[in-house]
Amino acid sequence: MKLSTVCSFLAIATVSAFAPVTQPRAGRTFVTSLKAEAADELYIDEEKRFIMNLILLGSSAATVGALAVPYIAFFVPPGSGGGSGGVTAKDALGNPIAAEPYLASKSANDRSLAQGLKGDATYLIVKEDKTFESYGLNAVCTHLGCVVPWSSASNKFMCPCHGSQVGKRQWEW
C-alpha cells in the first residue's frame, strides 16, 4: 500500500512539473506591462557587446601569437649566415696571414698555431703538396681549456693537462 502511494505521488509530481500553468488575467497584464517597460529600456547594448568581443578576440590572438612565434621559430633552421666563405686566420699579433708567403715558409705536414674563430688557438695544417687542409683544428682542450701542442715525434696532439692524445685518424673523417 505504501509503495503504490509513493509511486502515484511521484507520477503526479512528474506530470505536474511539466504541465503548463495557467495564470490569472491580472498577472498576465502585469507581465505584459513589465515587458513593455523593458522594451523601452535597453539592457543589452549591442555595440558594447561587439567591442567586448573584439577585446577578447584581440587579447586571445596576442597571447596565442606570443606563444606560437617562438615555438615555430624553434623548428626553423638557422641561416647560413652570409657568403664570406670562412674566417681569416691571424698570426700571434693579430695580423692576417697571407697564404702564399705562409706556405713558402712552412714545410709539408706542418702544424702551426694561428688565431681562428673567436681568437682561439687554431692549428693550420699544411698538406704534402704544400697547400692548406680545408679545415683548421681548434687547439684548446675541451676538458680543461689548455692549449694542446702537436708532438712531431709521436705524430699526434698530446694534452699537457690530462694526458689525452689525438692521432691523425681520429680527426680526419
Side-chain angles (χ1 to χ4, degrees):
M1 176 82 178
K2 289 183 180 179
L3 182 61
S4 63
T5 307
V6 170
C7 288
S8 62
F9 177 74
L10 286 175
I12 293 171
T14 305
V15 169
S16 65
F18 294 105
V21 177
T22 57
Q23 296 180 354
R25 184 84 177 151
R28 188 175 260 179
T29 306
F30 178 70
V31 171
T32 308
S33 66
L34 280 179
K35 286 183 181 176
E37 288 177 18
D40 294 337
E41 198 176 314
L42 185 63
Y43 285 106
I44 299 174
D45 188 4
E46 291 295 325
E47 185 177 345
K48 187 184 281 185
R49 174 181 267 183
F50 181 72
I51 290 172
M52 292 302 290
N53 284 339
L54 285 179
I55 291 171
L56 177 67
L57 180 67
S59 63
S60 299
T63 304
V64 169
L67 293 172
V69 168
Y71 181 77
I72 293 170
F74 175 78
F75 294 105
V76 176
S80 61
S84 64
V87 176
T88 304
K90 298 180 179 177
D91 61 10
L93 300 175
N95 301 321
I97 295 175
E100 304 232 354
Y102 183 83
L103 289 172
S105 66
K106 301 296 178 184
S107 62
N109 295 323
D110 182 64
R111 286 153 181 85
S112 300
L113 284 173
Q115 288 184 31
L117 296 173
K118 301 179 195 172
D120 282 350
T122 303
Y123 281 104
L124 295 179
I125 302 170
V126 180
K127 296 191 287 188
E128 294 278 340
D129 60 353
K130 297 279 277 184
T131 59
F132 285 119
E133 283 284 354
S134 61
Y135 56 89
L137 291 176
N138 192 338
V140 179
C141 174
T142 57
H143 302 110
L144 299 174
C146 56
V147 175
V148 180
W150 171 256
S151 172
S152 299
S154 304
N155 203 23
K156 57 177 88 169
F157 293 100
M158 301 174 84
C159 181
C161 295
H162 66 284
S164 180
Q165 299 178 7
V166 177
K168 185 173 181 174
R169 285 180 289 178
Q170 292 170 328
W171 82 74
E172 286 188 348
W173 48 90

